[in-house]
Amino acid sequence: MTAARVPTFAGLSDIGRIRASNQDSWGAYPEQSLFIVADGVACSTDGALAAGLVVELLPTYVSRHLKPDDLGGEDAAELLGRALVEYCDDFRAFAATDDRAAGANTTVVAVLVVGTRALVGHLGDSRAYLFRDQQLQQLTHDHSVIQDLIDAGEVSIEQAERHPARAILTRHVAMFPRALPDSAAVDLLPGDRILLSSDGLHGVVDDPTLAQILESHPEPDDACRALIDAALQAGGPDNVTAVVVAIPPQ
C-alpha cells in the first residue's frame, strides 16, 4: 500500500442564529486519520447526547473492525460500515436501559483517510464532499424522505427547499430495525480536500458557493470559518458544522 500522506484538518461548529442549543458534534482523530460529523435530531429527546456519543465512541469501533492490515483491502469500506452497524446496535441497547438516551437520535458521517483512498460511511443527511480542481463532488447520498422524493422525480430540488418532509430522515443511528449505513472507498489525489458538513451548512449554502469558499480559502481553518460565516449570513436557521481535511500536495 502507498505510504500514507498525513492530512491537515480543521473543524468548527456554531449554534446558528435561531436554535437554543447546539446539537451538532464533530471529531478529528489524527492518529487514525478519522474525521466525524454528527447532527443530533432536534425533535428527538436528546440529539446533543446522541451526536456527542457517536463522535466520542465510534473511533473505538473503527479500530476494532479495521486493523492496519485491513485498511488497504477491497472490503475496507464494508468494514467501516460494519463498525457503524455495531455502534448503532450498542447505542440502541444503551438507550433501552438509560432514560437519558431513550429516544435520542443523530446522523453521522465518517471519513477515514487511508493512503491514497478515503473510506466514507454515513447515516442520515450529514454529508461528505470531495473538492478537486475547483469542482465539488458530493460523496454521500442523503438518507431522507425528501431525497427519496427527488430521486423518484416527484419533487424538484427547488420544491424540496420548502417541502414539509425535508427534515425527515429514513436512516439514522437509533433506527429500528438496525441501521444499514452506506459506505464506499474514494480514490484521492494530492491537493484534494474533503468537506464534512451538517445540514445547517449544505442546506443553507448552495454547492457553487461551497466550492467558491473552498477555492478561495486553501487552509482548512480559514475555510471552516468562511463556511460557517456564509451559513450565518444566510440566516443561520440551524446548527452549522464544517470539517475540512486537506490531502497534502506531493
Side-chain angles (χ1 to χ4, degrees):
M1 183 173 67
T2 303
R5 307 182 189 100
V6 179
T8 57
F9 66 90
L12 193 61
S13 187
D14 193 279
I15 192 173
R17 300 195 183 280
I18 295 177
R19 301 293 190 188
S21 63
N22 192 348
Q23 300 197 46
D24 284 2
S25 189
W26 70 274
Y29 300 89
E31 69 281 1
Q32 290 177 268
S33 288
L34 176 64
F35 308 92
I36 307 169
V37 164
D39 179 358
V41 178
C43 62
S44 69
T45 56
D46 195 337
L49 173 66
L53 284 175
V54 69
V55 167
E56 176 185 356
L57 299 177
L58 185 59
T60 299
Y61 289 79
V62 172
S63 295
R64 186 181 302 161
H65 284 266
L66 277 157
K67 306 301 183 185
D69 289 344
D70 299 323
L71 294 175
E74 291 297 321
D75 61 347
E78 180 183 347
L79 293 174
L80 176 59
R82 290 179 189 175
L84 280 166
V85 168
E86 184 182 3
Y87 172 81
C88 294
D89 287 347
D90 286 354
F91 179 80
R92 284 198 315 278
F94 166 64
T97 61
D98 192 303
D99 290 341
R100 296 171 301 166
N105 195 13
T106 185
T107 72
V108 62
V109 59
V111 170
L112 184 65
V113 178
V114 182
T116 58
R117 295 194 304 171
L119 308 178
V120 183
H122 83 292
L123 287 161
D125 60 358
S126 294
R127 293 180 181 174
Y129 292 88
L130 176 66
F131 184 69
R132 175 186 295 165
D133 296 334
Q134 303 178 327
Q135 301 295 316
L136 190 69
Q137 175 190 356
Q138 187 176 328
L139 299 178
T140 53
H141 194 71
D142 292 352
H143 299 144
S144 65
V145 169
I146 197 63
Q147 185 63 60
D148 289 349
L149 292 173
I150 292 171
D151 293 345
E154 296 182 20
V155 300
S156 67
I157 293 176
E158 292 74 20
Q159 291 170 328
E161 295 174 358
R162 303 179 299 277
H163 198 283
R166 64 186 179 275
I168 301 175
L169 301 178
T170 56
R171 300 192 217 176
H172 48 77
V173 164
M175 69 184 294
F176 183 84
R178 68 177 359 185
L180 295 176
D182 286 335
S183 59
V186 179
D187 291 333
L188 297 174
L189 295 176
D192 282 350
R193 274 177 285 169
I194 296 168
L195 168 64
L196 304 183
S197 63
S198 65
D199 68 342
L201 176 58
H202 59 255
V204 177
V205 182
D206 61 25
D207 284 6
T209 304
L210 295 177
Q212 183 181 43
I213 292 170
L214 290 169
E215 176 64 21
S216 59
H217 296 82
E219 295 299 323
D221 52 351
D222 293 338
C224 285
R225 180 71 266 171
L227 290 163
I228 299 296
D229 286 346
L232 297 178
Q233 290 167 12
D238 198 356
N239 308 146
V240 52
T241 300
V243 171
V244 175
V245 182
I247 307 303
Q250 286 182 328

